[in-house]
Amino acid sequence: MRVLAVESSCDETAVAVYDGPKGELLAHRVHSQTEVHAAYGGVVPELAARDHMRRLPWLARQTMMDAGLGFEAVDAVAYTSGPGLAGALMTGAAFAKGIAASRGVPALGVNHLEGHILAPLLGDDPPAFPFLALLVSGGHSQLIEVLGVGRYRLLGESIDDAIGEAFDKSAKLMGLGYPGGAALSGLAEQGDAEAIRFTRPMINRPGLDLSFSGLKTAVANAVASGAPHADVAASFEKTVIDTLVIKLGRALDQTGLERLVVAGGVAANRPLRARLGALMLERGGTVHFPEVELCTDNAAMIALAGFLRLRAGECDSAAGFSVRARWPLSALRPPGAVA
Ligand code: KG4
Ligand code: ZN
């Protein structure tokens, strides 16, 4: 079963082709819209939807060419149907359903968050189930107990800003552009992480929830007081990672899980990867990251999640389609089960 997948939930337009039975990613492409939104300091939903519409036909043709295949080789189509920006999701869904209808093959709407946490299964070192997943992106910061595909239990999440959002807002305060997470991390390499003592949020509170809006305010104060930006960046990054290490230790103790998966855009952060690698080594467990290019939004992860469900017989009903701006992981069921 060759699956063509489309991702358009936010500001990345992406297409992938995946050979399911072989477990082989044949091709994937991502077009980032950051230039479209940069001047506005954030994603403008209407512009995102329009740009997806403009890019998708070309991107899909190029991706098929990369794979050396024509559209007649597609056996099924998967697309992100939520969570995300409604208009952006709709353009991808309409495009994907159009291809499926014209080829007479099944289509399936896939949960974007499920795509992120299953992305490490595409790598050389796939984790076995069960595992603890830390999903850290621009829109989400969640700790999830993953018992199997479609069997997710939310253990904790950010009660305010997502971690990527905290990176982006802090980066903006330092004039690093948007989205500035990676730029902030680059600047942090030149700073002293001990220079500013930020409070590590929520570590004295029991439970596994997170909070980052207070830290963002502390960053604003430090910047306003004239602290060197590199020191602010390094201290901010270290505080975020320290907090995650503490919460993850707690989650691992509580669940008895020995494998950790880190996914979402912030999983590309190098110091985070190093610290969580050390944490799991110390605990005698393992840590699994998607390849860096599969941490941020992409369609390869949607193809994989789609394949695992399509092969169990799941597919959209023929009539119409719906996208879901909100769609928590805990609402999902194992492949083939009725949701
Ligand atoms: O998963 P993703 O592409 O989109 C969402 O679903 O949100 O994540 C994007 C987020 C942005 O907030 C971006 O600043 C952050 O991931 N990010 C990073 C790094 N690379 C991307 N944050 C910290 N360090 C990085 N190296
Ligand atoms: Zn994402």
Side-chain angles (χ1 to χ4, degrees):
M1 185 194 283
R2 286 195 205 94
V3 180
L4 175 74
V6 174
E7 156 64 39
S8 69
S9 63
C10 190
D11 59 347
E12 256 96 39
T13 317
V15 178
V17 203
Y18 178 70
D19 186 326
K22 286 199 193 138
E24 195 184 334
L25 181 61
L26 301 176
H28 88 107
R29 278 184 181 243
V30 181
H31 170 80
S32 175
Q33 301 180 350
T34 44
E35 278 176 19
V36 173
H37 306 288
Y40 304 91
V43 179
V44 184
E46 181 58 33
L47 295 181
R50 273 191 240 165
D51 205 55
H52 288 309
M53 212 182 299
R54 192 156 50 225
R55 304 280 175 186
L56 272 170
W58 184 87
L59 204 63
R61 263 198 313 275
Q62 291 298 314
T63 308
M64 293 305 289
M65 272 170 60
D66 293 347
L69 297 171
F71 282 98
E72 71 285 349
V74 171
D75 301 309
V77 181
Y79 62 94
T80 303
S81 58
L85 302 168
L89 289 166
M90 254 183 280
T91 57
F95 181 76
K97 298 279 273 196
I99 292 180
S102 73
R103 302 292 333 147
V105 299
L108 181 67
V110 170
N111 185 295
H112 179 84
L113 307 177
E114 177 167 65
H116 272 306
I117 59 179
L118 297 181
L121 299 180
L122 288 165
D124 299 331
D125 176 30
F129 296 106
F131 56 77
L132 176 68
L134 172 68
L135 174 61
V136 279
S137 72
H140 295 86
S141 303
Q142 300 187 336
L143 278 165
I144 306 138
E145 182 176 17
V146 180
L147 299 169
V149 178
R151 297 175 64 203
Y152 309 121
R153 197 161 71 89
L154 182 67
L155 302 173
E157 65 183 331
S158 177
I159 58 168
D160 42 57
D161 293 352
I163 297 184
E165 192 180 352
F167 266 91
D168 293 341
K169 287 179 176 170
S170 300
K172 201 165 162 182
L173 289 165
M174 292 179 241
L176 295 173
Y178 180 89
L184 185 151
S185 186
L187 181 63
E189 283 174 24
Q190 298 153 34
D192 175 5
E194 308 297 333
I196 302 160
R197 294 253 157 217
F198 290 126
T199 309
R200 289 175 291 189
M202 311 260 291
I203 55 164
N204 298 322
R205 292 247 301 261
L208 298 171
D209 282 340
L210 302 157
S211 163
F212 293 99
S213 76
L215 179 58
K216 172 196 65 194
T217 308
V219 165
N221 292 338
V223 169
S225 75
H229 287 182
D231 288 349
V232 180
S235 304
F236 163 83
E237 184 171 57
K238 180 166 186 296
T239 305
V240 170
I241 297 173
D242 285 349
T243 306
L244 287 176
V245 166
I246 291 165
K247 293 279 174 168
L248 284 169
R250 235 182 247 178
L252 292 163
D253 288 344
Q254 188 178 310
T255 56
L257 294 169
E258 291 164 349
R259 286 173 290 269
L260 172 66
V261 158
V262 190
V266 184
N269 183 277
R270 266 190 270 144
L272 178 70
R273 288 170 95 97
R275 286 280 298 284
L276 298 187
L279 171 74
M280 294 313 288
L281 191 65
E282 187 187 304
R283 295 183 64 103
T286 54
V287 63
H288 307 259
F289 297 95
E291 283 177 41
V292 170
E293 66 173 36
L294 298 183
C295 287
T296 44
D297 289 347
N298 66 83
M301 66 186 197
I302 302 304
L304 170 69
F307 167 71
L308 294 172
R309 292 182 172 279
L310 284 155
R311 83 167 168 193
E314 282 187 41
C315 78
D316 287 3
S317 62
F321 61 89
S322 59
V323 297
R324 308 186 206 185
R326 302 182 73 84
W327 188 9
L329 276 173
S330 52
L332 298 184
R333 296 292 171 264
V338 181

